[in-house]
Amino acid sequence: MIAMIKRNLLLYFRDRSGVFFSLLGALISFILYLVFLKQNMLTSWHQVPNARLLLDSWLIGGTLAITGMTTTLTSLSLMVTDKVDHIAEDLGLTDAGPLRLFGSYLCSAAVIGFLMQLAMFGIMWGGFYVTDGLTLSLTEIRNTLGLMVVSSILATAVNASFIRAIHSVNSLNKLETIIGTAAGFLVGTYIPIGLLPGFAQNLVKFIPGSYVAALYREFLMGSKLTAAFGGDSTALASFDQLMGIRLKWTNLLTPQATYHIMGLMLIGAVILALGPEWIQIRHRRRVIRER
Amino acid sequence: MLLEAKHLTKTFGDRIAVNAVDLQIEKGSFTALLGPNGAGKSTTMNLLIGLSQPTAGSVVYDQKPRIGVVFQGSVLDAMLTVQENLQIRADQYRHVSADRVKILSQQLGLTDFMTQRYGTLSGGQRRRVDIARALLNSPGILFLDEPTTGLDIQTRHAIWDLVQHLQRKQKMTVILTTHYLDEADAADNVIIIDHGRVLVHGTAAEIKERYATDSLTMTSPNVPQLAANIVQRPTRVTDTQLTFRLPDVQSALAILTANRELISNFEFRPGTMDDAFLALTGKEMR
């Protein structure tokens, strides 16, 4: 299994242009924001103190969530190309077994998702440190790093349940385009969730990435928000809801509740991703035993 | 019997790819599966390997086999070096010794390009690496699906020698499919398949003996006279030449001696595998 994970990682990182474009896919929202949206949003936030730094952290949160989704998908696409190129048949001849092979695709995707989020985090924080003097506390960094791990695992599981249904490179490319395009809207990175119409707001709540983005924002902006809003908790709560820093079910979710929801989504995704594989393996075993 | 296929059948929708094939493969034997494109060779092979499940019938090995497979296309990663490719595959087996990749690379002459990326190798080099990959787990039975297709004649011979060497020296059981009929000459066992059925099986010599006719071409200054002297109808007539299909050498000698004054030159060609193949599978293209 380790050999297989090593192979998947080597294949991902040796393809330099692939890594570059994968990063660019995530960076594009960051660049678009800087070029088109930042000034516009700053104007509408003029009454919020420290608006510039808050906005920077807000963007980092959303972009990291997108990065997790898109890079794990790119990595998992190896599963499809291996099948298409008959490499999967050759791998099946080894002693590794189908579950372990599947597991190694998931592990390498999660590792790649984490590393790419880390790289994006470095790039964005570095950029904002230079332009706006953005600083982060140790706790904020620690929470963010921890969330990167959870985010890449969750995104891997969710993407793995999609990718099972894909059997050609053509449809894989289309899925990648769709997810890459939709992700920015679905997790509320381009437009704050509170400004979306009611239906879209509900749709956002079905997307695991939204919870990841919300938690990132909470971790990165929490202390700055408390400082900015002083004791005005109603104003803070409505700002949290508007910007998707905390999602609302019946009440605004606490970080713990958000983590719980993410945990349930992870379990659901793992069942969807692994279930069919497991049933297939059992079926095959029974067929062989019957002979 | 190392491997026995009984009534092996595989259908894809309405199309019958493999139709009630019975096969017996002896340990240490060399079997060539021949057939035109789409005859069902690869499907049969996949069923024997266990990569696909038969619709009906069964494949029985006398013990759990260690299988090596050289696939028709490349199944190694173009972006990784030969060394990485082989080592990664080796690590996925449980009982492969640490120096196996090194030993194989020396045996198969890969040492010059071990650090080169697989995708940059020539066709012949790539094939040797594919074979090394198939030998990683020291298989008792080696399947090769058209191992020499698309290679130049020198490389074909080299690959061919290598496979024969493996079979003879290491007592490996070899089963391969091929388009090149001359390659089947060396096999212990030739199986010709068409439309999913076994048309004939036996040694190359037996098959040629039974299905390939010899051909005699004579050049003569007086073609009409020569043609009149011979009872049999010629298969080809030109202004200067006559060609006959004959069952054996004796009948050719009889014609030659009886008409020696009329013959300025002649060519006798014993029946080849190509002749037998065409006789069995017909001339239309698939």
Side-chain angles (χ1 to χ4, degrees), chain A residues 21-42:
Chain A
F21 280 110
S22 190
L23 269 180
L24 190 67
L27 263 176
I28 201 75
S29 75
F30 177 72
I31 295 166
L32 288 176
Y33 160 83
L34 289 183
V35 176
F36 294 102
L37 297 172
K38 187 171 183 182
Q39 208 46 50
N40 188 4
M41 286 181 83
L42 273 179

PDB file of all heavy atoms in Angstrom, chain A residues 21-42:
ATOM      1  N   PHE A  21      -1.081  23.962 -12.701  1.00  0.00           N
ATOM      2  CA  PHE A  21      -2.449  24.305 -13.073  1.00  0.00           C
ATOM      3  C   PHE A  21      -3.438  23.972 -11.965  1.00  0.00           C
ATOM      4  O   PHE A  21      -4.445  24.648 -11.804  1.00  0.00           O
ATOM      5  CB  PHE A  21      -2.840  23.621 -14.376  1.00  0.00           C
ATOM      6  CG  PHE A  21      -2.300  24.337 -15.568  1.00  0.00           C
ATOM      7  CD1 PHE A  21      -1.296  23.799 -16.340  1.00  0.00           C
ATOM      8  CD2 PHE A  21      -2.777  25.599 -15.885  1.00  0.00           C
ATOM      9  CE1 PHE A  21      -0.777  24.490 -17.418  1.00  0.00           C
ATOM     10  CE2 PHE A  21      -2.267  26.298 -16.973  1.00  0.00           C
ATOM     11  CZ  PHE A  21      -1.261  25.734 -17.739  1.00  0.00           C
ATOM     12  N   SER A  22      -3.110  22.932 -11.207  1.00  0.00           N
ATOM     13  CA  SER A  22      -3.961  22.586 -10.077  1.00  0.00           C
ATOM     14  C   SER A  22      -3.957  23.726  -9.062  1.00  0.00           C
ATOM     15  O   SER A  22      -4.994  24.119  -8.540  1.00  0.00           O
ATOM     16  CB  SER A  22      -3.445  21.286  -9.461  1.00  0.00           C
ATOM     17  OG  SER A  22      -4.340  20.796  -8.529  1.00  0.00           O
ATOM     18  N   LEU A  23      -2.756  24.271  -8.811  1.00  0.00           N
ATOM     19  CA  LEU A  23      -2.646  25.418  -7.908  1.00  0.00           C
ATOM     20  C   LEU A  23      -3.323  26.644  -8.508  1.00  0.00           C
ATOM     21  O   LEU A  23      -4.007  27.395  -7.825  1.00  0.00           O
ATOM     22  CB  LEU A  23      -1.166  25.750  -7.658  1.00  0.00           C
ATOM     23  CG  LEU A  23      -0.492  25.082  -6.461  1.00  0.00           C
ATOM     24  CD1 LEU A  23       0.952  25.520  -6.373  1.00  0.00           C
ATOM     25  CD2 LEU A  23      -1.209  25.427  -5.164  1.00  0.00           C
ATOM     26  N   LEU A  24      -3.114  26.817  -9.818  1.00  0.00           N
ATOM     27  CA  LEU A  24      -3.683  27.980 -10.485  1.00  0.00           C
ATOM     28  C   LEU A  24      -5.207  27.964 -10.396  1.00  0.00           C
ATOM     29  O   LEU A  24      -5.842  28.990 -10.208  1.00  0.00           O
ATOM     30  CB  LEU A  24      -3.236  28.011 -11.943  1.00  0.00           C
ATOM     31  CG  LEU A  24      -3.555  29.311 -12.694  1.00  0.00           C
ATOM     32  CD1 LEU A  24      -2.748  30.462 -12.120  1.00  0.00           C
ATOM     33  CD2 LEU A  24      -3.267  29.154 -14.180  1.00  0.00           C
ATOM     34  N   GLY A  25      -5.768  26.740 -10.499  1.00  0.00           N
ATOM     35  CA  GLY A  25      -7.216  26.592 -10.392  1.00  0.00           C
ATOM     36  C   GLY A  25      -7.721  27.183  -9.087  1.00  0.00           C
ATOM     37  O   GLY A  25      -8.775  27.821  -9.032  1.00  0.00           O
ATOM     38  N   ALA A  26      -6.948  26.969  -8.014  1.00  0.00           N
ATOM     39  CA  ALA A  26      -7.340  27.506  -6.716  1.00  0.00           C
ATOM     40  C   ALA A  26      -6.955  28.973  -6.622  1.00  0.00           C
ATOM     41  O   ALA A  26      -7.693  29.801  -6.067  1.00  0.00           O
ATOM     42  CB  ALA A  26      -6.681  26.711  -5.610  1.00  0.00           C
ATOM     43  N   LEU A  27      -5.799  29.316  -7.199  1.00  0.00           N
ATOM     44  CA  LEU A  27      -5.301  30.696  -7.108  1.00  0.00           C
ATOM     45  C   LEU A  27      -6.175  31.673  -7.884  1.00  0.00           C
ATOM     46  O   LEU A  27      -6.187  32.864  -7.603  1.00  0.00           O
ATOM     47  CB  LEU A  27      -3.882  30.765  -7.687  1.00  0.00           C
ATOM     48  CG  LEU A  27      -2.725  30.703  -6.686  1.00  0.00           C
ATOM     49  CD1 LEU A  27      -1.407  30.691  -7.436  1.00  0.00           C
ATOM     50  CD2 LEU A  27      -2.775  31.879  -5.726  1.00  0.00           C
ATOM     51  N   ILE A  28      -6.901  31.135  -8.864  1.00  0.00           N
ATOM     52  CA  ILE A  28      -7.622  32.031  -9.766  1.00  0.00           C
ATOM     53  C   ILE A  28      -8.671  32.834  -9.004  1.00  0.00           C
ATOM     54  O   ILE A  28      -8.843  34.028  -9.252  1.00  0.00           O
ATOM     55  CB  ILE A  28      -8.233  31.250 -10.957  1.00  0.00           C
ATOM     56  CG1 ILE A  28      -8.522  32.190 -12.111  1.00  0.00           C
ATOM     57  CG2 ILE A  28      -9.477  30.472 -10.586  1.00  0.00           C
ATOM     58  CD1 ILE A  28      -7.292  32.621 -12.851  1.00  0.00           C
ATOM     59  N   SER A  29      -9.291  32.191  -8.007  1.00  0.00           N
ATOM     60  CA  SER A  29     -10.302  32.939  -7.248  1.00  0.00           C
ATOM     61  C   SER A  29      -9.614  34.050  -6.452  1.00  0.00           C
ATOM     62  O   SER A  29     -10.141  35.148  -6.298  1.00  0.00           O
ATOM     63  CB  SER A  29     -11.073  32.008  -6.316  1.00  0.00           C
ATOM     64  OG  SER A  29     -10.286  31.650  -5.206  1.00  0.00           O
ATOM     65  N   PHE A  30      -8.426  33.744  -5.986  1.00  0.00           N
ATOM     66  CA  PHE A  30      -7.635  34.705  -5.222  1.00  0.00           C
ATOM     67  C   PHE A  30      -7.256  35.893  -6.111  1.00  0.00           C
ATOM     68  O   PHE A  30      -7.437  37.058  -5.748  1.00  0.00           O
ATOM     69  CB  PHE A  30      -6.391  33.957  -4.717  1.00  0.00           C
ATOM     70  CG  PHE A  30      -5.405  34.775  -3.964  1.00  0.00           C
ATOM     71  CD1 PHE A  30      -5.682  35.223  -2.684  1.00  0.00           C
ATOM     72  CD2 PHE A  30      -4.171  35.069  -4.525  1.00  0.00           C
ATOM     73  CE1 PHE A  30      -4.746  35.952  -1.984  1.00  0.00           C
ATOM     74  CE2 PHE A  30      -3.234  35.800  -3.823  1.00  0.00           C
ATOM     75  CZ  PHE A  30      -3.518  36.243  -2.553  1.00  0.00           C
ATOM     76  N   ILE A  31      -6.796  35.589  -7.317  1.00  0.00           N
ATOM     77  CA  ILE A  31      -6.379  36.650  -8.231  1.00  0.00           C
ATOM     78  C   ILE A  31      -7.593  37.471  -8.703  1.00  0.00           C
ATOM     79  O   ILE A  31      -7.556  38.699  -8.707  1.00  0.00           O
ATOM     80  CB  ILE A  31      -5.634  36.041  -9.446  1.00  0.00           C
ATOM     81  CG1 ILE A  31      -4.336  35.399  -8.964  1.00  0.00           C
ATOM     82  CG2 ILE A  31      -5.343  37.107 -10.498  1.00  0.00           C
ATOM     83  CD1 ILE A  31      -3.676  34.491  -9.970  1.00  0.00           C
ATOM     84  N   LEU A  32      -8.661  36.764  -9.039  1.00  0.00           N
ATOM     85  CA  LEU A  32      -9.880  37.455  -9.478  1.00  0.00           C
ATOM     86  C   LEU A  32     -10.359  38.403  -8.392  1.00  0.00           C
ATOM     87  O   LEU A  32     -10.763  39.534  -8.664  1.00  0.00           O
ATOM     88  CB  LEU A  32     -10.990  36.440  -9.781  1.00  0.00           C
ATOM     89  CG  LEU A  32     -10.805  35.607 -11.040  1.00  0.00           C
ATOM     90  CD1 LEU A  32     -11.933  34.588 -11.154  1.00  0.00           C
ATOM     91  CD2 LEU A  32     -10.761  36.497 -12.271  1.00  0.00           C
ATOM     92  N   TYR A  33     -10.284  37.915  -7.175  1.00  0.00           N
ATOM     93  CA  TYR A  33     -10.736  38.731  -6.053  1.00  0.00           C
ATOM     94  C   TYR A  33      -9.888  40.005  -5.955  1.00  0.00           C
ATOM     95  O   TYR A  33     -10.406  41.105  -5.840  1.00  0.00           O
ATOM     96  CB  TYR A  33     -10.639  37.898  -4.771  1.00  0.00           C
ATOM     97  CG  TYR A  33     -10.608  38.696  -3.506  1.00  0.00           C
ATOM     98  CD1 TYR A  33     -11.782  39.160  -2.927  1.00  0.00           C
ATOM     99  CD2 TYR A  33      -9.397  38.980  -2.893  1.00  0.00           C
ATOM    100  CE1 TYR A  33     -11.748  39.897  -1.762  1.00  0.00           C
ATOM    101  CE2 TYR A  33      -9.355  39.721  -1.725  1.00  0.00           C
ATOM    102  CZ  TYR A  33     -10.530  40.184  -1.160  1.00  0.00           C
ATOM    103  OH  TYR A  33     -10.494  40.914  -0.013  1.00  0.00           O
ATOM    104  N   LEU A  34      -8.564  39.805  -6.024  1.00  0.00           N
ATOM    105  CA  LEU A  34      -7.682  40.969  -5.911  1.00  0.00           C
ATOM    106  C   LEU A  34      -7.963  41.970  -7.015  1.00  0.00           C
ATOM    107  O   LEU A  34      -8.024  43.171  -6.781  1.00  0.00           O
ATOM    108  CB  LEU A  34      -6.210  40.532  -6.000  1.00  0.00           C
ATOM    109  CG  LEU A  34      -5.656  39.764  -4.805  1.00  0.00           C
ATOM    110  CD1 LEU A  34      -4.185  39.463  -5.011  1.00  0.00           C
ATOM    111  CD2 LEU A  34      -5.843  40.573  -3.522  1.00  0.00           C
ATOM    112  N   VAL A  35      -8.144  41.453  -8.248  1.00  0.00           N
ATOM    113  CA  VAL A  35      -8.287  42.342  -9.392  1.00  0.00           C
ATOM    114  C   VAL A  35      -9.672  42.984  -9.449  1.00  0.00           C
ATOM    115  O   VAL A  35      -9.804  44.179  -9.677  1.00  0.00           O
ATOM    116  CB  VAL A  35      -8.006  41.573 -10.698  1.00  0.00           C
ATOM    117  CG1 VAL A  35      -8.248  42.463 -11.922  1.00  0.00           C
ATOM    118  CG2 VAL A  35      -6.572  41.058 -10.695  1.00  0.00           C
ATOM    119  N   PHE A  36     -10.717  42.182  -9.225  1.00  0.00           N
ATOM    120  CA  PHE A  36     -12.062  42.682  -9.498  1.00  0.00           C
ATOM    121  C   PHE A  36     -12.887  43.034  -8.262  1.00  0.00           C
ATOM    122  O   PHE A  36     -13.674  43.961  -8.291  1.00  0.00           O
ATOM    123  CB  PHE A  36     -12.854  41.637 -10.302  1.00  0.00           C
ATOM    124  CG  PHE A  36     -12.311  41.416 -11.674  1.00  0.00           C
ATOM    125  CD1 PHE A  36     -11.528  40.298 -11.950  1.00  0.00           C
ATOM    126  CD2 PHE A  36     -12.563  42.323 -12.693  1.00  0.00           C
ATOM    127  CE1 PHE A  36     -11.026  40.091 -13.213  1.00  0.00           C
ATOM    128  CE2 PHE A  36     -12.064  42.111 -13.961  1.00  0.00           C
ATOM    129  CZ  PHE A  36     -11.295  41.003 -14.226  1.00  0.00           C
ATOM    130  N   LEU A  37     -12.757  42.229  -7.193  1.00  0.00           N
ATOM    131  CA  LEU A  37     -13.763  42.317  -6.138  1.00  0.00           C
ATOM    132  C   LEU A  37     -13.335  43.076  -4.890  1.00  0.00           C
ATOM    133  O   LEU A  37     -14.160  43.621  -4.184  1.00  0.00           O
ATOM    134  CB  LEU A  37     -14.210  40.901  -5.726  1.00  0.00           C
ATOM    135  CG  LEU A  37     -14.901  40.086  -6.822  1.00  0.00           C
ATOM    136  CD1 LEU A  37     -15.121  38.657  -6.346  1.00  0.00           C
ATOM    137  CD2 LEU A  37     -16.230  40.727  -7.174  1.00  0.00           C
ATOM    138  N   LYS A  38     -12.025  43.070  -4.634  1.00  0.00           N
ATOM    139  CA  LYS A  38     -11.591  43.550  -3.329  1.00  0.00           C
ATOM    140  C   LYS A  38     -12.056  44.990  -3.074  1.00  0.00           C
ATOM    141  O   LYS A  38     -12.645  45.288  -2.035  1.00  0.00           O
ATOM    142  CB  LYS A  38     -10.067  43.459  -3.226  1.00  0.00           C
ATOM    143  CG  LYS A  38      -9.550  43.771  -1.832  1.00  0.00           C
ATOM    144  CD  LYS A  38      -8.077  43.465  -1.699  1.00  0.00           C
ATOM    145  CE  LYS A  38      -7.618  43.727  -0.270  1.00  0.00           C
ATOM    146  NZ  LYS A  38      -6.183  43.499  -0.101  1.00  0.00           N
ATOM    147  N   GLN A  39     -11.806  45.874  -4.038  1.00  0.00           N
ATOM    148  CA  GLN A  39     -12.121  47.287  -3.854  1.00  0.00           C
ATOM    149  C   GLN A  39     -13.612  47.494  -3.620  1.00  0.00           C
ATOM    150  O   GLN A  39     -14.043  48.186  -2.715  1.00  0.00           O
ATOM    151  CB  GLN A  39     -11.662  48.065  -5.090  1.00  0.00           C
ATOM    152  CG  GLN A  39     -11.293  49.511  -4.794  1.00  0.00           C
ATOM    153  CD  GLN A  39     -10.411  49.624  -3.547  1.00  0.00           C
ATOM    154  OE1 GLN A  39      -9.409  48.921  -3.434  1.00  0.00           O
ATOM    155  NE2 GLN A  39     -10.783  50.486  -2.607  1.00  0.00           N
ATOM    156  N   ASN A  40     -14.369  46.778  -4.438  1.00  0.00           N
ATOM    157  CA  ASN A  40     -15.816  46.823  -4.373  1.00  0.00           C
ATOM    158  C   ASN A  40     -16.323  46.433  -2.984  1.00  0.00           C
ATOM    159  O   ASN A  40     -17.167  47.112  -2.380  1.00  0.00           O
ATOM    160  CB  ASN A  40     -16.331  45.863  -5.452  1.00  0.00           C
ATOM    161  CG  ASN A  40     -17.826  45.971  -5.619  1.00  0.00           C
ATOM    162  OD1 ASN A  40     -18.448  46.821  -4.976  1.00  0.00           O
ATOM    163  ND2 ASN A  40     -18.391  45.151  -6.471  1.00  0.00           N
ATOM    164  N   MET A  41     -15.787  45.321  -2.472  1.00  0.00           N
ATOM    165  CA  MET A  41     -16.258  44.839  -1.171  1.00  0.00           C
ATOM    166  C   MET A  41     -15.787  45.739  -0.048  1.00  0.00           C
ATOM    167  O   MET A  41     -16.506  45.954   0.924  1.00  0.00           O
ATOM    168  CB  MET A  41     -15.799  43.396  -0.945  1.00  0.00           C
ATOM    169  CG  MET A  41     -16.619  42.419  -1.802  1.00  0.00           C
ATOM    170  SD  MET A  41     -16.160  40.716  -1.577  1.00  0.00           S
ATOM    171  CE  MET A  41     -17.082  40.304  -0.124  1.00  0.00           C
ATOM    172  N   LEU A  42     -14.587  46.273  -0.195  1.00  0.00           N
ATOM    173  CA  LEU A  42     -14.078  47.191   0.840  1.00  0.00           C
ATOM    174  C   LEU A  42     -14.980  48.412   0.970  1.00  0.00           C
ATOM    175  O   LEU A  42     -15.263  48.878   2.067  1.00  0.00           O
ATOM    176  CB  LEU A  42     -12.651  47.636   0.488  1.00  0.00           C
ATOM    177  CG  LEU A  42     -11.527  46.718   0.979  1.00  0.00           C
ATOM    178  CD1 LEU A  42     -10.187  47.261   0.538  1.00  0.00           C
ATOM    179  CD2 LEU A  42     -11.561  46.571   2.496  1.00  0.00           C
TER     180      LEU A  42
END
